Amino acid sequence: MGSGHKEHGHGHGGGRGRGAARGGGHGHGRDSVHGGGRGNGRDRGHDDHDRGREHDLGCGGTRAPHPGAAFGIPEGATGEAVVDAVFGDGAPRAGSGSGTAGARGIDPELLPYLEAAEASDAAGSDDGADDESSIAGARRAGIAGAESLAAAEAEDLAALRELVAANMIPSGDLDELDALLTEIDQDESDDWNDWEPVLPDGPAAPGPDGAPGWAGAGAPGLHGDGVGPLDGPDAAADRDDAPGPDGPGGPADRHRADLVAAARAVEVSERMRRIEAEILSRAPEHRVQPSLERVEAVLDLLGNPERTYRVVHVTGTNGKTSTVRMIERLLAATGMRTGRFTSPHLATIRERIALDGEPIGEEGFIAAWEDVAPCIRLVDERSQSAGGPRLSFFEVLTVMALAAFADRPVDVAVVEVGLGGTWDSTNVVPSDVEVITPVGRDHCAWLGDSLEEIAANKAGIIKDGATLVTAAQPAAVQAVIAAAAAEHGVVWRRELDPEEDPGEPGAGVLRVVDRTPAVGGQMVVLATAAAVYEDVFVPLHGDYQARNALLALAAVEAVFGGRALPAKVVEDGFASVTSPGRLEVLRSSPTVLVDAGHNPHGVSALVGAVEEVFDFRHLVAVVGVMADKDAEGILSVLEPVTDAVVVVPIDSPRAMDVEDLADIAREVYGADRVVAAEDLAGGVERAVSLSEGFDAPLTASGVLIVGSVVLAARARALFGRL
């Protein structure tokens, strides 16, 4: 990538391995053997986020929802649970290939295969592990990346046994399996983790057993381009369109693809859980560790991937994520490959790192972690030996994102700060465009109590000679930003303050000239230093989203040297914008809304949008907040526009106790307008009942869930918005 390059090393003595190195930074790989020998490692520079693909698996004319379903094994079961089910733990088994529904343990017809596999395992094992350890213990060790040959062998066998349990190999043909593994072992173009045959174009003909063929003409290969990694001299023998034992696309070809896909899915799921647990074990992102040294040290070891693409850096108090999403979509509409880093996430940690607008896939996330983990551990050790901390949760994700963007590779990365600016781990990026959205009071414990202190911290992202784009700000904030802009010699594009005369020298040039609410969003007229953009549809509600769109437009103009953007780019870019958890409708009759607003400034903007877009006669708020937030300020903004409030707990160690929140709510609303619920589901149900109890049509009543990003995520999950 960029300043580095790939290096591949091959093992000897019957094994092969691969490593990756970035410009003298680091390399890693591991060797394992099966039969003739194979190696594992991680090759970078592919479209990792495109690798994950789900397959429908089934035999005998039925589709099994997941490997092991035939034995009643739940999805995501541990290796021990699989072994127990296969070898008989007393649990009933249904849907086996032999049709013995209600039988216990393994299908007797499959015993010869398993005995042969066990014999092979016993003969090839170096440590003489017994059956239990070779299946359960060695599999766990293999998933964790153990380099032991015995562990690697047991990992393979355990995956094969799961497939047998799912009746994916009904013939129990050990020769067929050995041939497949030999084929993989002999291929030198890629490693086991990245191997997958190319699926045939169009649906394959069903086999004699009625098993469905593979649909998906043009289905992407593992690397997302429709071509698998087996493109060497022997590629023809490795593709699914090559003649197999039963002809092209026949049962043997399908079984081979099923085998690889299912074994891979089991491993990927487990590895993803382990990696996420490792990252979450670190200091949380709200615990500030004011230093950029740890992140800079890791990036130096990696060959400074953040220098291989352009960066738009975004800070502010409110509107950051929506603005970042708009910038990314506009850039994508120009044909650029984009990276996006945002926080926090709503449903999955992978949302924080997006490639071309989509969250990074599980395999891409795993690859990003495996690439940076050795360097992170090295820097952790150095820091701790000097009495310092390990890299925090947010620092690790920052490093992973910046490395993943280089591996993609992207043309431009749009990076949102986590907290503040000066000491935020994202401030290692050499950005040439910076954006500061509206600044208000938030995170005062870490950023300071005054607007001037908060503004100074956020202005810390400004780099020499960059283009700076800013929203209209309070006078105190504006003064701080102006001083920083002058110090760094930036080109400053700022929003016109409502109190300013646009004809005055030095007045802001960015303006929302006009806007009209529309179905699904609003029509706006936006003026920048380069052009006036007429009749632009923004699929988000509220004046604040129109202003976010203005900042995004100016930022993308700056990427292109300040030139006006083609109308088609603007139209397509904004049309594709989404912002989950931002004034999002979860249901109707009555309308249930959710918003991630978590400070008085943001909630005030939200209230304005709700009043503009929704003609509610009655509105009930569902509120949960973090202990470090201004709960009284949030409730005071909500009280004039809501008939009642239901306070709910949040599943977070940072959350304010629900009874403490209820006490504050009673002071603001009065005791008769406050309800305390034990959980979110009960709170929403109570709020809906209250809204329906008013003498008004259901279309005129609504529920607003607000107060925390975590609460918004839980609400979306409650209504099936994952």
Side-chain angles (χ1 to χ4, degrees):
M1 61 173 245
S3 59
H5 63 275
K6 295 291 173 227
E7 297 179 355
H8 302 288
H10 296 283
H12 301 281
R16 71 180 172 88
R18 303 187 64 175
R22 191 185 274 108
H26 77 283
H28 59 277
R30 60 186 174 88
D31 295 329
S32 61
V33 298
H34 185 293
R38 65 181 177 81
N40 277 333
R42 177 60 62 176
D43 184 21
R44 311 171 58 225
H46 300 294
D47 301 343
D48 290 320
H49 72 297
D50 290 331
R51 294 179 181 175
R53 181 169 71 241
E54 296 180 357
H55 299 290
D56 292 326
L57 310 175
C59 295
T62 59
R63 291 182 180 266
H66 60 270
F71 286 80
I73 303 170
E75 189 172 6
T78 63
E80 294 93 331
V82 171
V83 172
D84 288 339
V86 171
F87 290 98
D89 64 345
R93 174 175 57 83
S96 71
S98 63
T100 55
R104 300 174 182 273
I106 185 115
D107 188 331
E109 294 180 11
L110 300 178
L111 284 174
Y113 169 76
L114 289 173
E115 291 171 356
E118 282 302 300
S120 175
D121 180 44
S125 177
D126 293 333
D127 59 5
D130 59 21
D131 181 74
E132 187 67 21
S133 63
S134 67
I135 297 172
R139 177 170 172 75
R140 288 194 301 270
I143 293 173
E147 297 182 345
S148 162
L149 301 183
E153 183 76 358
E155 181 182 354
D156 293 344
L157 287 173
L160 295 178
R161 289 176 186 137
E162 284 198 59
L163 297 175
V164 173
N167 289 326
M168 290 179 56
I169 315 294
S171 66
D173 189 346
L174 195 59
D175 292 335
E176 177 186 331
L177 298 175
D178 285 342
L180 172 61
L181 293 174
T182 300
E183 173 190 328
I184 297 170
D185 292 339
Q186 292 175 347
D187 176 67
E188 295 291 329
S189 65
D190 214 329
D191 60 330
W192 168 259
N193 285 333
D194 290 342
W195 185 88
E196 183 174 346
V198 177
L199 300 179
D201 292 337
D209 58 356
W214 288 101
L222 191 60
H223 301 286
D225 55 7
V227 180
L230 303 179
D231 293 326
D234 300 324
D238 296 319
R239 293 195 301 267
D240 275 341
D241 58 354
D246 300 294
D253 286 340
R254 295 198 303 273
H255 287 322
R256 182 177 66 179
D258 289 353
L259 174 68
V260 175
R264 187 178 188 86
V266 171
E267 181 183 8
V268 167
S269 179
E270 182 62 24
R271 290 169 71 188
M272 183 67 196
R273 286 194 293 269
R274 290 175 180 269
I275 291 169
E276 188 170 0
E278 158 63 20
I279 298 173
L280 289 170
S281 71
R282 297 170 174 269
E285 55 193 316
H286 66 275
R287 188 178 300 169
V288 179
Q289 305 176 42
S291 172
L292 301 180
E293 292 181 1
R294 292 175 297 276
V295 173
E296 289 175 335
V298 176
L299 293 174
D300 285 345
L301 291 171
L302 291 170
N304 295 111
E306 77 283 5
R307 300 176 186 174
T308 63
Y309 43 81
R310 298 184 67 183
V311 177
V312 179
H313 202 187
V314 182
T315 189
T317 301
N318 294 296
K320 295 188 299 294
T321 300
S322 294
T323 302
V324 165
R325 283 176 167 269
M326 292 181 190
I327 294 171
E328 187 274 330
R329 288 292 80 200
L330 286 169
L331 290 169
T334 71
M336 286 187 166
R337 306 184 82 177
T338 61
R340 186 184 73 221
F341 182 58
T342 57
S343 61
H345 60 272
L346 292 175
T348 169
I349 194 172
R350 296 183 288 104
E351 295 171 16
R352 297 175 179 242
I353 305 172
L355 300 168
D356 291 331
E358 296 295 329
I360 191 170
E362 286 189 335
E363 295 191 43
F365 191 92
I366 292 168
W369 164 256
E370 291 180 342
D371 279 348
V372 305
C375 300
I376 287 175
R377 294 187 182 107
L378 179 60
V379 174
D380 281 345
E381 292 173 1
R382 292 176 180 174
S383 178
Q384 290 179 307
S385 66
R390 298 192 302 164
L391 270 77
S392 69
F393 166 85
F394 190 76
E395 288 174 326
V396 168
L397 288 176
T398 299
V399 169
M400 289 175 61
L402 298 179
F405 296 158
D407 285 349
R408 170 70 173 137
V410 305
D411 299 306
V412 184
V414 191
V415 177
E416 177 188 346
V417 303
L419 188 65
T422 301
W423 300 113
D424 188 78
S425 64
T426 64
N427 205 27
V428 298
V429 297
S431 55
D432 58 359
V433 179
E434 292 101 26
V435 180
I436 302 179
T437 67
V439 174
R441 285 186 172 84
D442 200 7
H443 303 295
C444 296
W446 299 279
L447 303 182
D449 293 322
S450 69
L451 282 177
E452 291 87 351
E453 290 176 298
I454 296 171
N457 197 301
K458 296 185 182 293
I461 72 167
I462 300 174
K463 311 296 191 303
D464 291 346
T467 297
L468 175 65
V469 179
T470 64
Q473 306 285 357
V477 174
Q478 190 82 337
V480 172
I481 294 175
E487 177 185 352
H488 292 282
V490 303
V491 176
W492 191 8
R493 299 285 185 254
R494 66 182 182 87
E495 184 183 1
L496 179 71
D497 189 275
E499 304 299 323
E500 275 188 301
D501 181 354
E504 291 184 358
V509 297
L510 308 180
R511 290 186 298 144
V512 177
V513 178
D514 189 35
R515 65 183 198 89
T516 304
V519 177
Q522 54 191 310
M523 298 297 297
V524 298
V525 179
L526 305 176
T528 68
V532 176
Y533 299 87
E534 304 275 357
D535 299 328
V536 177
F537 177 69
V538 178
L540 300 171
H541 299 291
D543 173 70
Y544 64 101
Q545 293 290 18
R547 295 170 64 191
N548 290 339
L550 177 67
L551 299 180
L553 192 57
V556 176
E557 286 183 344
V559 173
F560 290 94
R563 296 190 298 272
L565 301 179
K568 182 64 172 174
V569 167
V570 176
E571 178 184 351
D572 292 348
F574 280 124
S576 63
V577 170
T578 60
S579 194
R582 273 70 178 179
L583 196 52
E584 183 178 5
V585 178
L586 299 180
R587 65 162 278 184
S588 56
S589 298
T591 301
V592 177
L593 306 171
V594 65
D595 193 272
H598 53 274
N599 56 57
H601 185 273
V603 175
S604 179
L606 165 68
V607 166
V610 170
E611 291 183 314
E612 175 183 277
V613 178
F614 301 93
D615 188 25
F616 290 133
R617 289 172 56 185
H618 298 284
L619 184 64
V620 178
V622 177
V623 178
V625 300
M626 297 299 177
D628 60 333
K629 300 299 182 180
D630 183 3
E632 183 177 359
I634 293 171
L635 292 167
S636 296
V637 173
L638 291 170
E639 188 273 333
V641 297
T642 55
D643 296 274
V645 61
V646 180
V647 297
V648 295
I650 302 176
D651 184 19
S652 168
R654 295 175 52 211
M656 179 177 290
D657 181 79
V658 70
E659 289 302 325
D660 292 340
L661 181 58
D663 288 340
I664 298 172
R666 294 183 187 104
E667 293 178 2
V668 175
Y669 277 78
D672 59 335
R673 298 169 61 197
V674 177
V675 175
E678 294 183 355
D679 54 42
L680 176 59
V684 171
E685 184 177 358
R686 185 75 173 103
V688 168
S689 296
L690 288 172
S691 70
E692 293 175 339
F694 295 109
D695 186 18
L698 291 181
T699 54
S701 299
V703 173
L704 173 62
I705 306 171
V706 69
S708 164
V709 176
V710 176
L711 181 67
R714 299 290 188 270
R716 296 184 81 251
L718 182 65
F719 284 86
R721 303 294 181 90
L722 301 177

